[in-house]
Amino acid sequence: MAENFREFHPGNNPDDGRETQGQGRNRSFGRLAAGIVILIVLAVLGLESVYSIGEQEQGVVTTFGHAGNVVTSGLHFKVPFVQKVTKVNTTILGFPIGYRSGSDDSATQEQIDDESLMITSDFNFVNVDFYVEYKVSDPVKYLYNSRQPGEILKNIAQSCIRNIISNYVVDDVITTGKSKIQAEIKEMIIEKLEEQDIGLMLVNISMQDAEPPTEDVIEAFKAVETAKQGKETAINNANKYRNEKLPEASAKADQITQDAEAAKQERVNEGIAQAARFNEMYAEYEKNPLLTKQRMFYETMEEVLPGVKLIIDDGSGELNKTLYLDELQLEDITGGRPAASSEDTDTQEEE
């Protein structure tokens, strides 16, 4: 009995000690594993409850799928597995219309005819390339009001571009009307975006290039542009010549006007003097009319006769009997016979 007691008593059995130690180890391992699991769960919960938003981002917090507030840059907290945060890039983005480019090198650009080929109001075809810049204005509307807001913006831009280009002739599209066309397209896109309300805003749209679709037409347009530049050069030269000549002509006109005014004043003064002289002469005439008449006659003859050539003829018609007053005056001066004229000499030779 005693042997049986020692054999079955737990305190006297060496195997019971080994089992007790094994159970202790199992309990310690279980506690350690549970602690690790708890730490992992706490770490996951901590990581899920803390998030950060970059400087060029905004975050939309949703609770059970319903959009809530919008958070800006910084460190924030949320309820794990209940709230979700979607980050939205708020920097200026862009896309091309009419071409594709893998880098900034324009030599690698690929023309997209379906996007760039357009028709103008004068029924000419032209390839026009644009670059659109936009940014997110409302993150909630951007995420939940439409599935692909970027594609919607691109379709709106293409529609507005074709609509505006069709109102202009090809010369305006290629040369002088680019700024006006860009402004009208931008205004129309902004109106369409407000109607769609997709949370995007247009920053800028710029026309990169505009040219005819074929090389022959391109050369023709270059020739037209060269002719226009020649026309502008000729107009500028003409304006320059006009600006040079107008002051000169104005100065001449002023000089002529001044000379005319001086001549006018001289004539007026002369008329006034003659009138005063006539009045004085009339006063003398009233005193002695006959003597005044004779004096006026003599004075007039003194003025007229020196410039008059007088011929006296006896009426016979013979040239040798013609007397010239200037010859008679010369004879009176010299006291001799007057010199014979060439006609008298010829007549004497004939006789």
Side-chain angles (χ1 to χ4, degrees):
M1 291 295 292
E3 294 177 356
N4 292 335
F5 179 79
R6 287 193 299 270
E7 182 179 356
F8 293 101
H9 192 274
N12 297 325
N13 190 354
D15 294 334
D16 291 341
R18 297 192 192 96
E19 291 178 359
T20 302
Q21 293 176 0
Q23 291 176 355
R25 292 192 191 96
N26 291 335
R27 293 192 196 97
S28 298
F29 180 77
R31 293 191 188 95
L32 180 60
I36 292 173
V37 170
I38 292 173
L39 289 176
I40 292 174
V41 171
L42 291 176
V44 170
L45 291 176
L47 292 175
E48 284 292 326
S49 62
V50 178
Y51 63 95
S52 63
I53 303 296
E55 293 183 359
Q56 302 295 331
E57 295 178 332
Q58 287 183 343
V60 178
V61 181
T62 57
T63 304
F64 295 111
H66 296 283
N69 59 326
V70 178
V71 294
T72 57
S73 61
L75 189 65
H76 304 275
F77 298 92
K78 65 182 178 65
V79 179
F81 307 108
V82 176
Q83 292 180 325
K84 181 180 178 182
V85 178
T86 303
K87 298 179 181 181
V88 177
N89 185 4
T90 57
T91 59
I92 296 177
L93 306 174
F95 58 84
I97 296 178
Y99 67 96
R100 294 292 181 272
S101 178
S103 64
D104 295 335
D105 187 4
S106 60
T108 63
Q109 290 183 357
E110 178 185 359
Q111 190 76 27
I112 309 298
D113 293 335
D114 293 340
E115 297 180 359
S116 64
L117 188 61
M118 304 178 191
I119 187 170
T120 59
S121 62
D122 54 352
F123 304 103
N124 284 303
F125 289 98
V126 61
N127 283 328
V128 187
D129 300 334
F130 286 86
Y131 190 80
V132 179
E133 295 178 307
Y134 69 97
K135 65 180 299 184
V136 177
S137 59
D138 191 324
V140 176
K141 294 179 180 179
Y142 172 74
L143 292 174
Y144 301 107
N145 280 17
S146 62
R147 291 185 178 179
Q148 295 179 330
E151 290 296 323
I152 294 175
L153 173 59
K154 185 174 183 179
N155 293 333
I156 290 175
Q158 290 180 339
S159 175
C160 295
I161 288 170
R162 295 185 181 277
N163 191 2
I164 298 300
I165 293 294
S166 64
N167 296 330
Y168 286 85
V169 297
V170 66
D171 288 341
D172 293 338
V173 176
I174 295 178
T175 57
T176 58
K178 291 184 178 181
S179 299
K180 187 176 180 181
I181 290 173
Q182 290 179 174
E184 292 185 8
I185 292 174
K186 183 176 181 180
E187 182 179 357
M188 182 175 289
I189 293 176
I190 292 174
E191 292 179 359
K192 295 292 184 181
L193 286 177
E194 291 178 354
E195 294 175 1
Q196 296 296 325
D197 198 21
I198 57 176
L200 293 179
M201 64 175 293
L202 181 68
V203 177
N204 189 31
I205 180 168
S206 57
M207 184 185 297
Q208 301 296 307
D209 192 15
E211 61 182 10
T214 62
E215 292 296 331
D216 294 338
V217 180
I218 291 175
E219 294 299 326
F221 272 99
K222 288 182 179 178
V224 172
E225 186 64 21
T226 302
K228 288 183 177 178
Q229 292 178 357
K231 172 186 173 183
E232 293 178 357
T233 302
I235 292 174
N236 293 334
N237 291 335
N239 290 332
K240 179 181 178 182
Y241 179 79
R242 181 190 64 181
N243 294 333
E244 290 176 354
K245 293 300 180 181
L246 279 179
E248 181 180 350
S250 178
K252 289 183 178 179
D254 292 340
Q255 184 64 37
I256 292 173
T257 302
Q258 293 176 3
D259 293 342
E261 290 291 336
K264 168 188 171 183
Q265 191 63 36
E266 183 179 355
R267 292 291 181 88
V268 170
N269 295 335
E270 183 179 355
I272 294 174
Q274 290 180 355
R277 181 182 177 187
F278 178 80
N279 291 331
E280 293 177 357
M281 189 177 296
Y282 181 73
E284 296 294 330
Y285 176 80
E286 288 182 339
K287 296 178 181 178
N288 194 343
L290 181 59
L291 184 59
T292 303
K293 286 181 181 181
Q294 291 178 352
R295 179 182 174 185
M296 292 173 63
F297 176 78
Y298 294 144
E299 290 178 353
T300 303
M301 289 298 101
E302 288 179 355
E303 294 177 359
V304 173
L305 288 179
V308 176
K309 185 175 182 181
L310 182 62
I311 300 174
I312 301 175
D313 193 1
D314 60 356
S316 63
E318 296 181 3
L319 294 176
N320 58 344
K321 293 183 178 181
T322 301
L323 300 177
Y324 297 91
L325 182 61
D326 53 351
E327 295 177 357
L328 294 176
Q329 292 175 348
L330 181 60
E331 183 179 359
D332 292 340
I333 295 172
T334 58
R337 185 176 179 273
S341 63
S342 60
E343 294 180 354
D344 294 341
T345 305
D346 294 340
T347 302
Q348 292 176 1
E349 290 178 356
E350 291 178 358
E351 290 178 354

